[in-house]
Amino acid sequence: MSWLDDTDDDEPEFDEADIRMRPNPKANRPRTKRRPAHADARIARVLGVDRGRYTVLIDEDGPEEHTALATRARELRKKPIVTGDRARVVGDASGDDGTLARIVGIEDRTSLLRRSADDTDQVERIIVANADQMLIVVAAADPEPRPRLVDRYLIAALDAGIRPLLVVTKTDLADPASFLRHFEGVDDLEVFTSGHGHMPVEEIGRHLVGHSTVFVGHSGVGKSTLVNALVPTALRATGHVNEVTGRGRHTSSSTVSLRYVGETGRGWVIDTPGVRSFGLGHVDPANILRAFSDLAEVAEECPRGCTHLPDAPDCAMIEAVAEGRLGDRGAARLDSLQRLLQTFAA
Ligand SMILES: Nc1nc2c(ncn2[C@@H]2O[C@H](COP(=O)(O)OP(=O)(O)OP(=O)(O)O)[C@@H](O)[C@H]2O)c(=O)[nH]1
Ligand SMILES: [Mg+2]
Ligand SMILES: [Zn+2]
C-alpha cells in the first residue's frame, strides 16, 4: 500500500547494543541505580528525532538556552518520544561535542497527532505532541489537490483537539477557487493562498504567534518552502542539528520543530515529511461529522442513530442534497462524508 512509501521518521527499533558500544561511560551504569525519581531532571523540548537520538532544547527561553543531543533511558522501553514532547532529561545536557544526555520521562501531553497505516489498522504513528494548530498544506496543482486527504486531516485535527488551518500553495500554477469550494462551509477554517512571488508570510505568521503549529500535507506541496519563508533561520538551525547527527540537510526526511519569531511574538512551527495517505484507524467515528460542519447542522434533523449512508432511511442530509438545499457542492460533500463513514462502518 502507498503508505509504505512514506518518508516517515518513525522511531527506529531502539537497539540497546548500540548504546553499550558507544564510548559513553554512563551507558554502562547499572540501571537499577538510576530508577529513582530523577529529582535532578530538567524539562526540555524535543525538537527532532533521528535514529534514536533526540535533539532537545534545554532552558527554553532562559539565559542558557541551547540544544543538546539525548538518548532515551532504557526504563522508558518503547514508549514513543516525538517532536514537541516535553522531556525530562538527566546527565550531560551541556550540548558539547560528543555528549549525550538521557531522557528519563515525558511530561503529560496536551495533544497528540496520530495517524494509522490505514483505516482499519490500530497501529498508529505519532506525528507530533503538544501541537495546538495544524496547517494543512495543499497545492493548487503539482501535485493535484485532493479534497479527501484534506478531509482526513481535518478529522484528525478535530479528533486530537487541534485547530486546523488551510493553505493552498502554487496558486501561480492553477486557480484554487474550485478546490476551495469544497471547504466553504467548514466552520472557522482559516484559509490562505500562496504562490511564487506572493507568499502570505505575515498573514500566516500572525497565526503562529503563541502557538505550536504542525505543517502537514502530501509530499511536494511546499511545506518546507513555507517554513523557510516563515523561519529564515530554518536552514541554519537544521544545519546545526544535522551537523551533530551527521545526516544531510533534508528538513523533510524527519519531523523538526523550528522557532517562529514574528514582530508580535514567537511560536513553534513543525515541518513534517509528506505523506500519501492518512489513516484514521485511531479516530473516534463521532468526530468525523465534526469535520463536515457544513453538513452537521442538517444532520441534527436525522432520525436517531442515522448512519447517513446512501441506504439510510429518512436521512436529512440525503434529503437536503436531493432538494438542492446544500448548494452545488452539497452532493460532493455528502459523498466525501459517506465514504469516510463507510470506512468506519465496515
Ligand atoms: N510554482 C510553485 N512552486 C512551489 C511553490 N511552493 C513550493 N514550490 C515548489 O515545490 C517543490 C516542493 O516544495 P517543498 O517545500 O520541498 O515541498 P514539501 O511539502 O516540503 O515536500 P516534502 O518535504 O517532500 O513533504 C519545490 O520545488 C518548491 O520550489 C509555489 O507556491 N509555486
Ligand atoms: Mg519538506
Ligand atoms: Zn443522516
Side-chain angles (χ1 to χ4, degrees), residues 113-114 127-128 131-137 149-150 152-158 160 162-167 189-190 192 208 211-217 278:
L113 179 64
R114 299 165 293 174
I127 298 164
V128 65
D132 63 340
Q133 295 191 135
M134 172 196 284
L135 182 69
I136 303 167
V137 186
L149 181 60
V150 177
R152 284 171 173 272
Y153 282 128
L154 286 173
I155 293 166
L158 294 169
I162 295 172
R163 179 187 179 217
L165 310 162
L166 177 66
V167 60
L189 180 65
E190 198 81 40
F192 309 93
L208 301 179
H211 296 283
S212 188
T213 308
V214 57
F215 286 35
V216 297
F278 199 93

Side-chain angles (χ1 to χ4, degrees), residues 170 172-173 195-196 218-225 252 273-274:
K170 310 200 189 184
D172 51 303
L173 302 181
H196 269 341
H218 193 282
S219 187
V221 293
K223 296 179 294 295
S224 301
T225 304
S252 322

Side-chain angles (χ1 to χ4, degrees), residues 3 7 18 40 45 71 73 172 177 181 185 218 239 256 260 303 308:
W3 56 269
T7 51
D18 184 40
D40 54 337
R45 176 185 294 271
T71 184
D172 51 303
R181 239 170 270 134
H218 193 282
V256 181
Y260 170 76
H308 318 304

Side-chain angles (χ1 to χ4, degrees), residues 7 137 139 141-143 168-173 194-199 216-228 250-253 271-275:
T7 51
V137 186
D142 187 31
V168 185
T169 59
K170 310 200 189 184
T171 53
D172 51 303
L173 302 181
S194 176
H196 269 341
H198 59 97
M199 280 209 216
V216 297
H218 193 282
S219 187
V221 293
K223 296 179 294 295
S224 301
T225 304
L226 271 176
V227 166
N228 286 337
H250 300 292
T251 45
S252 322
S253 63
D271 189 15
T272 67
V275 298

Side-chain angles (χ1 to χ4, degrees), residues 42-64:
R42 321 168 67 163
I43 304 297
R45 176 185 294 271
V46 176
L47 297 178
V49 185
D50 188 0
R51 288 184 273 182
R53 294 288 177 273
Y54 302 83
T55 301
V56 296
L57 186 66
I58 308 281
D59 194 32
E60 180 172 342
D61 294 326
E64 286 166 32

